[in-house]
């Protein structure tokens, strides 16, 4: 067998999603050739992961501070809130350069099959963010069964609030994921968004 | 964009072999959910990689000490040396439970196309290990062009030495790699090894 400490490294790498024994071994052997600087960078990143990377306390996006860069940016229109499942989706939206509102990142999606309930995702804090000045909630969850369920749940939740609720529309292929869509597709989906409440 | 420190983590993960941006992002987001213990384990493994995992000074296998577990084991027959390309191949051989000699790990293979010369791999130290009591050198490099070249080079190198040189034979599929072979195939190859010098 490999030395115990090398086995430990392989075990750590196997915990990564979709990584089996052969891949983990391949990664570990590759890392044997790393310079000390490369390893130190990696260790520093992991230290930062523990201490410096949080969720924005307002919108749930990734952030090094209490508020993320977008929530801190005064040029963004705080009265339009785009609800996405994942921080990756914020990146995908931002690449279009067409959206100037703010975000609300659910960090998950309602899934009856996986037992993920509305309280398990960052959803209820959205209600606290909506005030008299809020004009529109754009629901940009993925066009999957779970994303649609979540969109429907949010629209029901906001039924009695004085705010427009829209849903990203055509352009996004069904069954796909927002962060894999190209910019034009996302722009089309933004333009074609329809009022669902 | 993601927070700078999160980008750094993604960059570290992208350095792993065969990992592109999407996979690195997936790994990084997965690691956001790690417990502090998981992250500490990972950091400890990387610290150990810097300080505690070396190559055995005799055979080149991975080891936490100067000598690896196999070289330290008095029950192993030191007069039969099996030459392999990689520490993974030692594991593959050991799984057969049929080999009781020791190893010499080249940690590479001669490759004219990649400019890897005999001096670039752990080969010359093999000569120092051969003494009057050495009975056999079993060459178990992979059955690829580079592995065959290396086998041929070693047999030429030992031409004038009083030692038998054999090569793992049938059983291993050409173009394959030793550490992917099943136990039986490796046993077959061990049984059918032929004298090449």
């Amino acid at each position: 067998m490999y030395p115990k400490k090398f086995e430990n490294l392989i075990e750590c790498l196997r915990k990564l999603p979709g990584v089996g024994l052969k891949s983990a071994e391949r990664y570990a052997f590759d890392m044997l050739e790393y310079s000390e600087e490369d390893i130190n960078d990696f260790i520093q990143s992991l230290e930062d992961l523990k201490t410096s990377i949080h969720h924005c306390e307002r919108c749930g996006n990734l952030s090094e501070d209490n508020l993320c860069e977008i929530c801190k940016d005064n040029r963004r229109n705080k009265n339009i809130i785009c609800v996405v499942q994942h921080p990756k989706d914020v990146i995908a939206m931002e690449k279009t350069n067409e959206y100037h509102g703010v975000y609300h990142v659910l960090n998950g999606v309602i899934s009856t099959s996986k037992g993920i309930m509305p309280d398990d995702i960052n959803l209820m804090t959205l209600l606290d963010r909506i005030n008299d000045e809020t004009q529109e909630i754009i629901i940009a969850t993925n066009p999957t069964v779970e994303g649609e369920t979540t969109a429907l749940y949010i629209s029901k939740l906001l039924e009695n609030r004085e705010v427009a609720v829209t849903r990203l529309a055509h352009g996004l292929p069904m069954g796909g994921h927002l962060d894999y869509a190209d910019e034009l597709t996302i722009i089309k989906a933004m333009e074609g968004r329809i009022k669902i409440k």
Side-chain angles (χ1 to χ4, degrees), chain A:
Chain A
M1 289 297 97
Y2 296 120
K4 186 80 194 70
K5 289 175 178 173
F6 193 71
E7 290 279 355
N8 291 347
L9 178 62
I10 293 174
E11 275 313 304
C12 286
L13 291 164
R14 272 188 84 166
K15 284 186 190 151
L16 295 171
V19 175
L21 179 60
K22 285 282 172 192
S23 294
E25 283 184 352
R26 192 172 160 222
Y27 293 168
F29 277 107
D30 197 73
M31 290 171 86
L32 274 180
E33 313 299 322
Y34 275 21
S35 67
E36 187 158 333
E37 196 190 338
D38 281 344
I39 298 175
N40 288 339
D41 285 351
F42 211 144
I43 291 171
Q44 187 57 51
S45 293
L46 291 169
E47 294 284 359
D48 289 341
L49 182 63
K50 279 196 299 186
T51 55
S52 308
I53 304 171
H54 324 277
H55 290 288
C56 169
E57 62 186 28
R58 186 179 294 159
C59 78
N61 193 9
L62 289 185
S63 177
E64 290 181 23
D65 302 316
N66 291 349
L67 287 185
C68 73
E69 295 303 314
I70 293 170
C71 283
K72 276 194 284 195
D73 187 343
N74 286 325
R75 290 163 304 180
R76 307 293 297 226
N77 182 350
K78 303 279 194 296
N79 299 325
I80 300 178
I81 302 175
C82 178
V83 180
V84 295
Q85 292 183 201
H86 201 272
K88 282 190 210 182
D89 301 329
V90 173
I91 305 285
M93 290 291 290
E94 287 298 289
K95 277 190 191 149
T96 68
N97 282 318
E98 292 267 324
Y99 178 68
H100 307 293
V102 292
Y103 294 94
H104 192 82
V105 184
L106 300 175
N107 287 307
V109 70
I110 298 169
S111 169
T112 44
S113 62
K114 290 180 194 154
I116 302 171
M117 295 296 147
D119 284 341
D120 298 326
I121 62 178
N122 181 36
L123 178 52
M124 294 312 161
T125 53
L126 174 64
L127 300 181
D128 305 329
R129 293 180 68 186
I130 298 170
N131 56 37
D132 291 348
E133 288 178 355
T134 309
Q135 292 156 10
E136 183 176 356
I137 307 293
I138 303 171
I139 305 179
T141 51
N142 287 327
T144 56
V145 173
E146 292 162 347
E148 295 292 347
T149 306
T150 307
L152 194 68
Y153 185 88
I154 297 172
S155 71
K156 289 274 179 204
L157 209 60
L158 300 176
E159 215 162 32
N160 301 318
R161 305 290 287 257
E162 280 298 324
V163 63
V165 179
T166 59
R167 174 95 177 97
L168 284 199
H170 61 268
L172 290 180
M174 288 301 287
H177 287 265
L178 189 60
D179 76 308
Y180 278 80
D182 62 276
E183 284 83 330
L184 192 64
T185 305
I186 296 179
I187 291 170
K188 283 276 177 215
M190 284 293 284
E191 284 169 354
R193 67 183 188 264
I194 43 165
K195 217 163 175 296
I196 55 176
K197 182 228 136 194

